[in-house]
Amino acid sequence: MSAAPVWSVDPRTGNPREQVAVEATAEEVDRVVRAAHAVRDALADRTARAAFLRTAAELLEESGEHIIEAADAETALGPARLTGELARTAAQLRSFAEVVDEGAFLDVHIDHEDGSRTPPWPDLRRCKIPLGVVAVYAASNFPLAFSVPGGDTASALAAGCPVVVKAHPDHPATSELCASVLRRAAARTGLPENVLTVVHGFDAGVELIRHPLVSAAGFTGSVRGGRALFDAAAARPAPIPFHGELGSLNPVVVTGAAAAERAGEIGTGLGGSMTLGVGQFCTKPGFVLVPEGAAGDQLLKTLTETVSSTGSGVLLDHRMRDAFVAGVRERAALPDVDAPVTPGAAGEHTVSAGFLTVPAARLTAKGPHDALLEECFGPVTVIARYASVDEIAAVLARLPGNLTATLQAATEDPDPDAAPLLAALTPLAGRILVNGWPTGVAVAPAQHHGGPYPATTSTSTSVGATAIERWLRPVTYQNTPDALLPPELREDNPLGLPRRVDGRRA
């Protein structure tokens, strides 16, 4: 039986564009993983790793025109959005090169022998080492920044781990283009091309998570798919870390004082954020608590105007379009749910943005309205109208874990509800915003893109410098002669690494 073809499909028409590859068989996955495992020592040189990451960024930019053209044809995200995403992806690669150069991620600690302590201390030297081959499962909605050259790949390579990427079926041609660029960057900097490989196909993804030489995995996608892989990673004879981003509602709470102060501004900002990228951002504000009364009514009036003026758009694929249309239809049919702007199908290949409203009292206890507390991927948000702060607290207590949570509070006068509501939001998410909107994730050292389950399956971030920590494990050497120690832990610090010696920074 021949391998199934992998087609690039135009979401604007639903028509196939070209055959890009064939789905990898179990034997091919095994060969690819073994090839990656065989070259892991080549990544031990931090200088070579940093040069590789910088060269990859440079070559991506040089190939930008072709990459953006392919990505737009496969995702309908548009050249402007994809140009920005390419710039972000290149910046992310360079950012991790800086992390590698600096070396603090190795977390070097040295405690010299001290017999005066009780119990006595031996000589202990600790640093972090790469886990091994990392499997990366690419996201649909970011064909560059969360795909083949994205943050999971960049951070794993920065840690010294070879990567095998399971390409997303929504952009196989873009994946192949980016893989060729990264492999060319490896060769140009003297590294084996097999430090980065791409495979296609659902079965290949399953084989990848089960392969005994795969040491960790990163995933961005649906709760259903991510949970299946997470369970498979845990069920292995030797379980491995699985860092999955699965789904997020990204709640927003608008205080009564904030609505009274700037209802129009909040309504406009919410409309822009929830429709950005046709509502396909993982940080889209999908659930908003708005006060009852005149100020809340004004906010919804502005939101109605903003969303109504938003044109229809194309989702990443027709399967997602069908799920969006069915999802909003199911939610809109619930008792006491209204649709001031009806979201749904706008044409054979497009969808229109909209929002639903519901009394918050409907959500304070388990019932059929629980569907409103689940992510609906696409340009829709749910507005829950609350009558009291106690009602807000009761709804927040029922929310799942999220990537973000946002508080819109008064800015000109003290807002008595701000502090307690911020405290109530903090346990729900990995990034807490005040008077902003969650769409847009800065690639910065202090960034955290993760959150309680189901937002992510671990406490780690997939964006920012500390994303590298996912692919490392600590090792301590005790009473080891200097000549036998890795260079990172030798007494004279030949690599010039930042480290803590006897409890003090050195």
Side-chain angles (χ1 to χ4, degrees):
M1 183 176 178
S2 59
V6 175
W7 287 89
S8 172
V9 176
D10 182 350
R12 294 181 174 96
T13 64
N15 295 329
R17 297 177 57 248
E18 60 177 329
Q19 182 180 338
V20 173
V22 295
E23 294 186 358
T25 64
E27 293 76 17
E28 288 165 337
V29 171
D30 178 65
R31 175 180 57 77
V32 164
V33 173
R34 291 187 182 280
H37 182 74
V39 301
R40 65 195 187 283
D41 289 346
L43 287 169
D45 185 338
R46 286 192 302 122
T47 301
R49 293 208 305 270
F52 168 37
L53 293 168
R54 290 191 174 95
T55 302
E58 178 184 335
L59 295 183
L60 279 172
E61 290 170 335
E62 289 179 4
S63 304
E65 182 179 349
H66 299 298
I67 292 171
I68 290 167
E69 181 182 6
D72 180 49
E74 292 185 307
T75 67
L77 289 172
R81 149 72 193 274
L82 291 165
T83 297
E85 188 177 334
L86 180 66
R88 171 207 170 109
T89 304
Q92 193 164 239
L93 287 160
R94 292 189 175 101
S95 173
F96 278 112
E98 294 175 4
V99 169
V100 173
D101 282 340
E102 195 233 1
F105 73 97
L106 294 168
D107 197 24
V108 176
H109 287 253
I110 295 176
D111 292 319
H112 290 105
E113 183 176 2
D114 186 349
S116 68
R117 292 181 178 268
T118 304
W121 282 12
D123 186 271
L124 298 169
R125 296 165 187 252
R126 179 185 186 271
C127 68
K128 292 182 177 178
I129 63 173
L131 289 174
V133 178
V134 169
V136 169
Y137 294 81
S140 62
N141 56 340
F142 282 84
L144 305 176
F146 283 83
S147 188
V148 172
D152 284 353
T153 297
S155 58
L157 292 169
C161 297
V163 173
V164 179
V165 181
K166 190 274 179 187
H168 197 280
D170 278 355
H171 45 259
T174 308
S175 297
E176 286 292 333
L177 267 175
C178 291
S180 68
V181 168
L182 265 64
R183 288 169 67 85
R184 189 152 43 94
R188 184 173 293 188
T189 50
L191 293 174
E193 291 186 350
N194 285 335
V195 296
L196 186 283
T197 318
V198 166
V199 296
H200 299 265
F202 176 85
D203 291 342
V206 175
E207 292 293 334
L208 196 54
I209 200 69
R210 292 173 176 169
H211 198 287
L213 294 181
V214 168
S215 299
F219 171 91
T220 302
S222 69
V223 173
R224 181 180 178 185
R227 184 55 193 254
L229 290 170
F230 176 66
D231 291 346
R236 290 168 40 130
I240 59 172
F242 181 86
H243 302 285
E245 180 190 322
L246 309 189
S248 185
L249 198 58
N250 303 303
V252 178
V253 176
V254 181
T255 69
E261 177 186 271
R262 49 195 174 88
E265 177 188 328
I266 294 171
T268 300
L270 173 59
S273 185
M274 59 152 287
T275 59
L276 187 66
V278 202
Q280 296 175 114
F281 277 52
C282 52
T283 51
K284 178 198 75 176
F287 181 77
V288 188
L289 282 151
V290 172
E292 295 177 353
D297 292 344
Q298 181 58 45
L299 190 158
L300 262 62
K301 181 176 183 293
T302 307
L303 178 62
T304 298
E305 295 167 353
T306 302
V307 174
S308 297
S309 65
T310 302
S312 61
V314 177
L315 295 185
L316 293 162
D317 62 37
H318 281 61
R319 177 184 56 82
M320 292 183 188
R321 179 186 176 278
D322 292 345
F324 171 74
V325 171
V328 295
R329 184 187 300 122
E330 172 195 349
R331 290 163 172 79
L334 292 167
D336 291 334
V337 173
D338 294 321
V341 182
T342 303
E348 186 180 357
H349 306 292
T350 57
V351 298
S352 60
F355 66 95
L356 308 175
T357 63
V358 65
R362 281 285 193 176
L363 304 171
T364 57
K366 187 174 178 60
H369 288 76
D370 286 0
L372 299 172
L373 304 180
E374 299 172 1
E375 180 184 17
C376 186
F377 193 73
V380 64
T381 195
V382 173
I383 309 294
R385 303 295 300 271
Y386 67 85
S388 67
V389 172
D390 288 343
E391 207 165 61
I392 297 176
V395 174
L396 292 181
R398 302 198 61 243
L399 294 187
N402 295 272
L403 295 170
T404 73
T406 300
L407 177 68
Q408 293 289 342
T411 60
E412 295 180 0
D413 296 309
D415 191 332
D417 296 328
L421 286 174
L422 194 66
L425 287 170
T426 297
L428 295 177
R431 179 162 59 105
I432 311 298
L433 298 91
V434 177
N435 295 339
W437 298 105
T439 39
V441 184
V443 182
Q447 185 59 270
H448 187 84
H449 190 63
Y453 185 86
T456 50
T457 60
S458 71
T459 59
S460 301
T461 179
S462 60
V463 179
T466 55
I468 196 173
E469 295 173 0
R470 297 174 295 169
W471 321 118
L472 300 162
R473 70 176 181 90
V475 174
T476 293
Y477 290 83
Q478 180 172 326
N479 291 342
T480 303
D482 204 62
L484 296 180
L485 287 168
E488 292 82 358
L489 295 178
R490 290 176 187 163
E491 190 67 20
D492 61 351
N493 195 12
L495 303 180
L497 293 170
R499 54 189 191 173
R500 188 174 288 274
V501 179
D502 296 330
R504 296 182 177 180
R505 293 193 181 277

